[in-house]
Structure formats: C-alpha cells, structure tokens
Amino acid sequence: MGKLKPAFVKPYGTVTAANSSFLTDGASAMLIMSEEKALAMGYKPKAYLRDFVYVSQDPKDQLLLGPTYATPKVLEKAGLTMADIDVFEFHEAFAGQILANLKAMDSDWFAQNYMGRKSKVGAPPLEKFNTWGGSLSLGHPFGATGCRLAITAAHRLKKEGGQYGLIAACAAGGQGHAMLVELYPQ
C-alpha cells in the first residue's frame, strides 16, 4: 500500500486508492411521507426524520468538514446532545477526512477559532460509529449514499435497541449536512 501514488497533491499527498472510498454502482429509493399518510396507505414506518441541517464552509481549508459544522447545529435544533445519540452513520469520503472530522469535533480550539462556538461538540464514541461498515468498506454509490446511511441507521437502531441516530456527510465544494432519525415505535 505504501507504493500507491497520491490521488491529489502529487507527490506529497496522503490520499491514495487504499484509504479512499471507492465508487460503486448503486440505486436507492425511499418513501418519505408523514406518519399519518404512511399508516393510511398501510405502511409501517421504519424511522422518523426528526431534523436536518445543511452547512457550507470555506473549501480552501475546511473542505470535507461538513459533519463537524452540521452536527452541533442539528443537535441544538432538536434539543439533543451527543450523549442522546445511539447510532452514528457518517459518510467516509477518505480515511483522512473522517480522522480530520473526529479531531475537529473534539477540539475546543477548532470550535472557538473556526466555528465561533464556545466549546467543542465532542467526537462520536467509536463503539457507536459506522459499526456495520461505512463508505470505505462498502463503497460510495453516488446518488445512493444518503439512503444507505439513513436505512443503515434505522436498522441499527432497531437491532441495537436505540432511539436516535445521527447521519452526516460532506459534499463537494465545502458543503455538508446532518440529519437526525428516530426509530419508529415497534
């Protein structure tokens, strides 16, 4: 693996084919509707979409940090904390991107100097983070990754007996989003 060439900043870059999510074929479909409509049509919901936010930051030095910026905003919007979350599903564009987000989320300095916050939100506990695999191990089907993250969070909540899941992803050009899902009562 050490002989692989960098994908971006040549010859000194660290992102290679070995630590990047691979693009895969994929398709997805989700029915998103109110609980009342789903029940009236005879469907049993898997989860509620409780809240979501979209963020943008400077792509020059904050590219791919969307989860760091979006996570505290969606938690505050929903009145929750990191301790309330049972399942974390983050899109993994690159191994370094995930490590950068975890470090930034756990840094008071980053929160104060880049995000204008008093303190860090904290990194997700690794025992709750992408435990069924993420984009690095499963692949990144463009156009289907968001659905994969949401359905994986819902299935994990059901299997693991949790209530809330937090989904986050970075996107091109310094964009990002986070959303909260809540398991539908069984």
Side-chain angles (χ1 to χ4, degrees):
M1 286 179 19
K3 294 180 182 178
L4 292 171
K5 295 183 183 193
F8 302 111
V9 183
K10 298 174 183 174
Y12 305 107
T14 59
V15 174
T16 70
N19 60 20
S20 304
S21 60
F22 54 100
L23 299 180
T24 60
D25 289 336
S28 63
M30 293 182 79
L31 292 174
I32 301 174
M33 62 185 75
S34 70
E35 177 184 21
E36 295 78 23
K37 182 71 171 175
L39 295 174
M41 295 178 71
Y43 298 126
K44 182 176 180 190
K46 288 187 181 288
Y48 295 107
L49 171 58
R50 282 293 176 212
D51 235 317
F52 62 92
V53 297
Y54 290 94
V55 296
S56 295
Q57 55 279 338
D58 186 348
K60 182 178 179 184
D61 63 353
Q62 298 162 45
L63 183 67
L64 306 178
L65 290 176
T68 297
Y69 285 85
T71 294
K73 289 183 179 191
V74 78
L75 289 171
E76 288 168 1
K77 194 174 170 188
L80 298 173
T81 68
M82 291 288 271
D84 296 314
I85 306 303
D86 302 298
V87 163
F88 293 88
E89 288 291 328
F90 281 28
H91 167 54
E92 304 162 339
F94 310 102
Q97 172 258 337
I98 287 295
L99 294 174
N101 274 280
L102 295 177
K103 185 169 183 162
M105 291 173 85
D106 209 30
S107 169
D108 282 324
W109 183 89
F110 189 89
Q112 293 162 2
N113 290 285
Y114 280 89
M115 299 173 66
R117 302 180 60 81
K118 291 181 182 177
S119 63
K120 63 187 177 185
V121 66
L126 293 182
E127 65 273 9
K128 296 181 179 183
F129 189 84
N130 290 5
T131 59
W132 290 6
S135 301
L136 288 169
S137 61
L138 301 173
H140 177 23
F142 268 37
T145 294
C147 289
R148 183 191 62 74
L149 293 169
I151 202 67
T152 300
H155 284 257
R156 282 186 56 204
L157 287 169
K158 183 176 180 180
K159 182 167 181 144
E160 298 170 17
Q163 182 178 4
Y164 293 108
L166 193 147
I167 300 160
C170 58
Q175 308 298 307
H177 81 91
M179 91 177 104
L180 287 166
V181 294
E182 182 178 359
L183 185 66
Y184 189 78
Q186 304 302 310

